[in-house]
Amino acid sequence: MSWLRALKGTARSGLAVERKRLEPVGAARGALGLALVVGVSLALFGPAVAVSSAFGAFQAAIATFQRSWRPRPTLALASGASLAVSTFIGYLTAAHDGLFLALLLLWTFLSGLAWAAGPTAGLIASSNVAMMLVTVTLPTSVATAAGHAAVIFAGGLVQAALVALVPVRRWGAQRDALADALAAEADYARRLRHDPVAPFDPVPLMTARNAAAVTPRQARRRPPELHGSRGLAERIRPVLASLADPAGGVPGEGPQRARVRELLDAAAAVLDAAAHAVRHGEPVALPAPALDALRTPDTGSVLTGPPRRAATRLAALLGDVLETAEPHGETPIRTGVSRSRPTLLRLAPIVLAQVRAELRHESPVLRHAIRVSVVTAAGYLLGTVLPFGHGYWAPMASVMVMRPDFSQTYARSVARFGGTLVGVGLATAVVRSAHPGTYLSAGLAVLCAFGMYLLMRTGYAASQVCVSAYVVFLLGTAGEGVDQTVRERVLLTLLGGLLAMLAYAVYPAWETPRLRGRLADWLEAIGRYASVVAAGYADPAGPADPEVREALLRTRAARVAWQEALERAAHEPVRHRGLSHAAVEQAEHALGEFGRVAMLMEAHLPDRGAAPLPYAAALAEALRRSTERGAKELRERGEPDWAELRETADAWSGAPPDHFLLHKGAVLLLESLDELATALSETTPSRR
């Protein structure tokens, strides 16, 4: 993609408005907390302290809107405390330009590394730097700086208290994640009726798994209906695929296929009913036709062999889903130990380990940390030198728009400039024409904050209109920045955005050249998963074998990493570097088919204690070695060779023909790998 097309694409993305469900009650709660903090601070301490406390409450409320599974009060407290510390340390060095610049470089570098811990941590850390640039200009002494830090933390404390006292749809994020996973399974069942080899996107299941991890305190308070259903949904997916796939023994048409379609439709209805019950905390309302279809006694006479076993297992799993999804059930099904989430204190060593893992030159997170620290320092120096006053608008814009990847940085730069142009223009026009007093300016700031909370999920540009106006009105409360014009504020914001965009062009972290590595990671993970599944036939440990589960999770993580990398690379102005668009599509299809066959094999895993199949051990070892070598060749731009796996499959010509694994599984896996080799051969240069 050329630079011109990339810039056009990111500009459209940044200015787009998304249709998302608004949360007016949550927005009103955040604005109420801000109003309480500002009003009390104005009455007791004056405008300068009110501005500081407002920044603390404002950011704490933003933290509660992030996509995080931690308790919202914890996020608000962490945000308020970190901003208070940043502001106080910043003020201690603000009187010495060189010392403050060094602190700014260090603080911004650390905020860039915080993205290693996830987007929520990265956003809070970036906001700390941006707001520190403003708040350090307010105190006049060390004592007052400590007071400002205290009221900033108090702002976070107030927001945390409001979240606890005025809950908005308690456990709503976790309910939505689990309900989305069940609904995705229902949609998958319906698509299988018409396309027996339809693909499945594992992201909803992965999101539900992340949401299921709880702290010890959360574990004591979690509603019963949030237990168990996710694990059952995980086990239902391969059973659905096995039931529908023609390779399992059901013809494309006829009485057997009609019965399978009926069962899939009933499964979709059950899963949808369970999803609705979980999402709204209501009793399960199951359609009678779905129950009748599942209870029809003639399934055993219509289906035989693997399809019959899959139908029986599906009915049992759906019954467990209904029992588990019932709100306030007396005996909810427990499908294993609850996933634990570390507390914030215990999270520190984990985050440090994640940051250390990113301290390598090719890491996008490290390159982002270097970029954002240099750009913020340059913006601060330029803002100080330029004759506009209040030069923090430039570095504040830079640190807020920069992200570890190209598309988000450029899209947010455009959105920030557009939103600032409108928001600052409107707010400055109001200030200069109406001359609002202290309390009216504070009220307008709270109103803008409400707009920000309400619109923040509909697009970055829309929220930036409110944020820019909020900053103007809030600073106007303390008499700060009243002398600045729209032109000066917009020019400084434009400067910050241009510096951010230029930094990525000069010191990029392109995803495109790493696509081969991402694809190799996926191949290696999925090969390991297929190997572990095959080993389950040689040494049966039952369908709930934890080793199979862990291998599947690694496969999903590798697949999502590949898809995210592919999405980022699609917007980059870089050539394909060895993987054409056609090769990418064919390789993705091949590995998707490889994973689907492995999943079908998982659906037929024998129970613990069943007779072992000695043929499977050889297949497991051949799969592991072949895919590991293939991944190595893929990274080194070589040609994968599946000779060992082919020899293993050919040696089974005399194996029992009625067994899915031995009769079809190895052949289908080999066909998928051959398709992958064909896709790669078109873009792999000869090394002879």
Side-chain angles (χ1 to χ4, degrees), residues 262-339:
E262 186 180 14
L263 289 173
L264 291 172
D265 195 48
V270 170
L271 290 167
D272 272 338
H276 184 274
V278 168
R279 193 184 304 276
H280 299 285
E282 300 174 354
V284 179
L286 187 64
L291 275 179
D292 294 339
L294 291 172
R295 292 171 177 170
T296 300
D298 64 350
T299 298
S301 60
V302 177
L303 301 177
T304 59
R308 179 181 177 180
R309 291 195 298 270
T312 303
R313 182 171 294 178
L314 176 63
L317 289 172
L318 289 175
D320 290 344
V321 167
L322 290 178
E323 182 180 350
T324 307
E326 190 71 33
H328 314 297
E330 296 181 1
T331 56
I333 294 176
R334 309 290 177 128
T335 59
V337 179
S338 295
R339 298 189 66 240

Side-chain angles (χ1 to χ4, degrees), residues 426-427 430-431 436 441-442 444-445 448 468-478:
L426 292 175
V430 170
V431 170
S441 294
L444 291 172
C448 291
S468 301
Y470 167 79
V471 174
V472 172
F473 287 130
L474 189 62
L475 294 178
T477 302

Side-chain angles (χ1 to χ4, degrees), residues 370-515:
I370 295 173
R371 274 196 309 270
V372 71
S373 56
V374 172
V375 166
T376 304
Y380 175 77
L381 290 174
L382 288 174
T384 303
V385 172
L386 292 174
F388 295 149
H390 304 284
Y392 48 72
W393 284 86
M396 184 170 65
S398 297
V399 75
M400 288 304 296
V401 303
M402 295 186 74
R403 294 293 184 269
D405 64 279
F406 164 83
S407 58
Q408 283 198 54
T409 296
Y410 276 59
R412 291 170 75 90
S413 295
V414 173
R416 179 88 181 188
F417 176 71
T420 300
L421 182 64
V422 176
V424 167
L426 292 175
T428 305
V430 170
V431 170
R432 289 186 171 271
S433 60
H435 302 288
T438 298
Y439 283 91
L440 181 56
S441 294
L444 291 172
V446 171
L447 183 62
C448 291
F450 171 76
M452 158 67 181
Y453 301 146
L454 186 64
L455 302 175
M456 65 184 303
R457 291 181 177 171
T458 64
Y460 192 67
S463 64
Q464 286 310 298
V465 174
C466 299
V467 170
S468 301
Y470 167 79
V471 174
V472 172
F473 287 130
L474 189 62
L475 294 178
T477 302
E480 294 282 337
V482 178
D483 56 329
Q484 258 192 331
T485 64
V486 174
R487 179 180 65 87
E488 293 167 339
R489 287 167 173 158
V490 169
L491 285 177
L492 287 170
T493 300
L494 177 61
L495 173 64
L498 289 176
L499 286 174
M501 298 169 76
L502 179 63
Y504 211 105
V506 173
Y507 188 59
W510 303 125
E511 195 67 51
T512 303
R514 290 193 291 270
L515 286 180

Side-chain angles (χ1 to χ4, degrees), residues 131 156 238 290 315 335 354 391 420 535 586-587 636 644 680:
M131 295 185 183
T335 59
Q354 292 172 329
T420 300
Q586 189 175 359
E636 298 175 354
E644 181 181 1
L680 297 175

